[in-house]
Amino acid sequence: MADVLKKVPVREQDAKVRATNFEEVCLGYNQEEAMEEATRCINCKNAKCVSGCPVAIDIPGFIKEVKEGKIEEAYKVIGKSSALPAICGRVCPQESQCEGKCIRGIKGEPVSIGKLERFVADYALEHDIKPEKAETTNGHKIAVIGSGPAGLTCAGDLAKMGYEVTVFEALHELGGVLVYGIPEFRLPKQKVVAKEIEKVKELGVKFETNVVIGKSTTIDQLIEEEGFEAVFIGSGAGLPMFMGIPGENANGVFSANEYLTRSNLMKAFDESYDTPIVGGKKVAVVGGGNVAMDAARTALRLGAEVHIVYRRSEAELPARVEEVHHAKEEGVIFDLLTNPKEIFVDENGNVKGMKVIRMELGEPDASGRRRPVEIPGSEYEIELDTVIMSLGTSPNPLISSTTKGLETNKWKCIVADEELGKTSKEGVYAGGDAVTGAATVILAMGAGKAGAKGIDTYLKEE
Amino acid sequence: MYKILKAEKLADKIILMDVLAPRVAKHCQPGQFVIVKMDDKGERIPLTICDYDREAGTITIVFQEVGASTVKMADLKAGDGFRDFVGPLGCTSEFVLEDLETLKKKKMLFVAGGVGAAPVYPQVKWLHQHGIAADVVLGAKTKDMVILEKELEAVAGNLYVTTDDGSYGRSGMVTTVVEDLVQKEGKHYDVCVAIGPMIMMKFVCLLTKKLELPTIVSMNPIMVDGTGMCGACRLQVGDQIKFACVDGPEFDGHLVDFDQAMKRSQMYKTEEGRAMLKLQEGDTHHGGCGNCGGDN
């Protein structure tokens, strides 16, 4: 009999093997494992896990169906709240959300809610179980900007309510950060993302790629000329930030966005695609978030020795615990409490090394985390050929600068209320990274849901 | 799929195409660019807009065969298409937004080198349509490489053609012509717009700095998404880092760090070289690219 205090272990690709390929790391549960894990859920009456979920999935409800082997039923329960469960099961930070609230977690390990969600969603994709769609359309046209998690969720919810939704995507592929940002080994593009988007299409949502709102057309034109009655902006995060240290424009210094876009969206890791990528022999990734882990593990798979350079300590790493754990297993080296001072450049303009300084933790700062302070005289140099800056992004100005009456805050993020996504402009709603700055897939999905509710309320009042 | 309505060779390795892209044609302005992607596995390639027809919904692009992708693209014929065609990207030329009366008082000089004639054309045409005659210096290596001469002649004030080898028009680099016009032929200009190879723009800027002639250049660094996401196109402009795709592509030429920009544009030269080798050797490719593991 398995230890009831522990999760049913999930099968993974061996660390040594997977460090050299782009296949998915986590293999997920099979039905037997999922049903066994489901028995660990004690079906709390006042389930805390649900309140930990940004889209409030009826977690005990779907797990109960899994327990009984009714996987299709379980999918329907999840489908009421989430349009993208195969994605969320893979990329949500469960430890700080649903699983973080699980009663089982007090004495032992919480129920493996994420892995169960993933199993149910994958089963639905494999068995081509259709989502439930609206019987008739109500004739109201809605435009959704961006096909990332916020936009897809908003579009899916509105389509289920009967709206005629068109999603405009700037890039040539649908999925936003799910395709350009998160690597294949964490979120397979064809097997999972494309199929889950297919389900949104089945709800009746139309998609148009290669349309950059603010350039190819504007929000005002969508409303005035193309007959859209309301717009949801889910355009995502924007320009990468750099440190402002000497040498940062050298060849071999990339933003994590560029490095990951080349590898994920343009598939530069695959020889048969035309876009090049410089793998690097020795790579430093500066930063400690999920994006930094993704960049580090991508560089590792392209054959490099990879160091994460992060100015705080391990406890402050903002990345998901699972990502840090996987990165370590695969051989990524963590240079913690270390901060870059200067990048050294050779005569051809290529990176040849980096000067870093050791840090220690001082008093807590505004974020509540202890502030890293330089230790005087502790500078040292490391040899490198590639530096990847993963320091976050600042909002893209294309929409805010071309939309009349759309208010932004001092960080240039679009101002929108949390509950309904309402902006300062009538009929325009917004959510996701464009509003909050870089955050998580599930928070963006939560905002997409809120936006759909906001738009529905607005049009019913009209 | 974005259909190619016309494909024409302007000179050796320089191709012109008309592409059906109504959304782009409806909104584009001088100074902006597009990104095209040939097929599923292709690169995203930024290209300048040479002309547009809002009624017909078409965009005219001109490109030079420089890397593996553009060589492949040159094989496309009328009736074929691009998998993706997105734009207009980047900011419009500053003069488009200027007060027309103020603009009419300015004397503008355009300097177009090589394929740079393509992005210069819609700017000079726009000015012509607004009653402004701008002078144009059109330079090329040799006679056969001079492009868009007739088109520019129809919209420019004075057109000065020059070839590096003296086989056509004036003789010598565009910088010689600019210097002669200002210093020997008594021309006065308030603004210069120089578009061409980076090395040309660098030397035009060195000259116009000396001549105290404000100069705008159009930068064409390496790009990936072109929508302000990846940061690959960053440039040092004065003491600031600018992104060519959303802040540009046009900048104050006297502030651009050309040496750094030229080094950055070499970044994938070896990767490009490898890709080219593979393309040329096709199925007979067996190593030498340093990428594929040789005869395996």
Side-chain angles (χ1 to χ4, degrees), chain A residues 378-399:
Chain A
S378 67
E379 290 95 341
Y380 65 101
E381 293 174 10
I382 38 182
E383 255 182 62
L384 293 166
D385 55 22
T386 304
V387 179
I388 301 171
M389 292 293 177
S390 180
L391 309 163
T393 58
S394 63
N396 191 312
L398 291 185
I399 288 178

Side-chain angles (χ1 to χ4, degrees), chain B residues 222-240:
Chain B
I222 291 169
M223 278 185 195
V224 186
D225 67 291
T227 63
M229 192 183 75
C230 81
C233 65
R234 65 190 188 275
L235 302 161
Q236 191 73 38
V237 181
D239 56 6
Q240 285 181 302

